[in-house]
Amino acid sequence: MSNRCDLEEISTNDTLQQQSTDEFIKHILTLLTSVTVSENLDTDLWLNNNPDAKKLYDYIISLRELTTALAKGDLKKTVPGKGYILANLKALQANLLHLTWQSKMVANGDFSQRVDFLGEFSDAFNEMALKLQNSNMQLVKMATTDTLTQIPNRLALAQFLSAAFKKSVEQDTPFSIIIFDIDNFKRVNDTYGHDIGDKVLVKISEILNSQFRSNDIFSRYGGEEFMAALPGISQENCFKIAKRAISLVSKTKIPANADEHISITVSAGVSSRISKDITYENIIKRSDNALYKAKTSGKNKVCISSKK
């Protein structure tokens, strides 16, 4: 009789254990597949009696928390646990964090950022960054280039002058400025029309620009005026450069029509930085005064400012 009771008890225990196992498996499936999980389930029985079950349960909870955070865009969520799947998710999380930083860098103008750790997404990001870089370069060029002569405009000039003047002061090196003005330009427009006037501006800018180094700047200053800024060049050497430049202009004949060519001359004023200059505007003012002297004393010449 006792043997029969024992068998029935064993059978009952086996049944209960199987039911418990089935319930645990269902609960694990719920954790893996359902958005919401009942909080009323008592898992203590399973977890306290089986260390491996507890490890599995904790691992899945970590998976749920991390994947939920990633789905919501929370890239700083930390969860316990290691292992293959969690390691991959954490690697993805780290990549997305780095990608977020790179995106912010692109937004701040650093278009050199490239991604090489997210496969097809990397290609899309890199293509976007390259297109933005090219577009930005085009916009910068448009904003800093004179549309007629295709040389730097006053915005580009101001940026250059600011940086070059500061460097000249810090290193105590020469810094010179030339202002050129086309003589009798109004007469050209009145006689031949603005189309020919534009051709004159383009041709003169090409001739003058050819006389300067790559680390100088030659720009359209406004109307028929041009300005060159020459870091590291003394006032005396700058005078020689300006004189050579206007001499080339005076030897050039610009076609006005099929039967007539125009002779053009240019006047120039030169000045260099002196110790009491607070800003590059001081140099420009002296160059402008020297230009006025050249214009009022016969034109087609270069005048140099006094260093006062």
Side-chain angles (χ1 to χ4, degrees), residues 33 211 234 289-290:
T33 60
Q211 300 304 297
S234 67
N289 290 337

Side-chain angles (χ1 to χ4, degrees), residues 75-140:
L75 301 180
K76 296 182 179 181
K77 176 70 175 178
T78 59
V79 297
K82 299 179 180 179
Y84 181 74
I85 300 177
L86 268 179
N88 284 336
L89 287 173
K90 290 180 178 181
L92 175 61
Q93 182 185 43
N95 286 339
L96 291 174
L97 270 173
H98 188 68
L99 179 63
T100 300
W101 176 82
Q102 289 184 289
S103 299
K104 289 179 180 179
M105 295 296 290
V106 170
N108 289 329
D110 180 4
F111 301 111
S112 66
Q113 295 294 322
R114 295 295 183 269
V115 177
D116 59 2
F117 47 79
L118 286 175
E120 186 176 342
F121 185 86
S122 296
D123 296 336
F125 180 93
N126 294 339
E127 182 180 357
M128 176 197 71
L130 181 61
K131 287 183 177 179
L132 286 173
Q133 184 176 29
N134 292 336
S135 297
N136 185 69
M137 290 173 63
Q138 292 175 3
L139 288 173
V140 169

Side-chain angles (χ1 to χ4, degrees), residues 164 167-168 171-176 230-235 272-273:
K167 184 176 180 179
S168 174
Q171 300 182 358
D172 193 23
T173 54
F175 180 50
S176 300
L230 297 81
I233 302 297
S234 67
Q235 184 166 277
S272 294
R273 183 182 69 83

Side-chain angles (χ1 to χ4, degrees), residues 243-295:
K243 193 170 182 180
R244 182 173 66 243
I246 70 167
S247 176
L248 286 173
V249 171
S250 66
K251 296 174 183 178
T252 302
K253 303 293 184 181
I254 300 175
N257 50 55
D259 303 317
E260 187 176 2
H261 288 70
I262 309 171
S263 295
I264 299 292
T265 62
V266 172
S267 299
V270 173
S271 183
S272 294
R273 183 182 69 83
I274 57 178
S275 58
K276 68 178 183 180
D277 286 337
I278 299 174
T279 175
Y280 63 79
E281 294 287 355
N282 301 122
I283 313 174
I284 292 177
K285 184 175 181 180
R286 290 196 301 275
S287 296
D288 200 39
N289 290 337
L291 173 63
Y292 178 78
K293 183 179 178 181
K295 299 287 281 187

Side-chain angles (χ1 to χ4, degrees), residues 10-46:
I10 292 172
S11 177
T12 301
N13 289 337
D14 289 344
T15 301
L16 291 174
Q17 186 176 1
Q18 183 62 46
Q19 290 175 347
S20 179
T21 301
D22 290 344
E23 290 179 10
F24 182 70
I25 292 173
K26 289 180 181 178
H27 185 58
I28 293 299
L29 288 172
T30 301
L31 288 175
L32 289 171
T33 60
S34 299
V35 176
T36 59
V37 179
S38 173
E39 297 180 357
N40 298 323
L41 289 174
D42 183 10
T43 58
D44 290 343
L45 177 63
W46 308 318

Side-chain angles (χ1 to χ4, degrees), residues 137-186:
M137 290 173 63
Q138 292 175 3
L139 288 173
V140 169
K141 184 177 180 181
M142 289 172 60
T144 57
T145 302
D146 178 64
T147 54
L148 176 63
T149 61
Q150 293 300 300
I151 61 175
N153 60 15
R154 288 190 69 155
L155 174 60
L157 176 65
Q159 294 171 345
F160 183 93
L161 288 172
S162 179
F165 180 83
K166 181 180 178 182
K167 184 176 180 179
S168 174
V169 172
E170 291 174 348
Q171 300 182 358
D172 193 23
T173 54
F175 180 50
S176 300
I177 289 176
I178 311 171
I179 301 179
F180 297 96
D181 185 89
I182 299 176
D183 297 326
N184 306 311
F185 185 69
K186 184 177 184 301

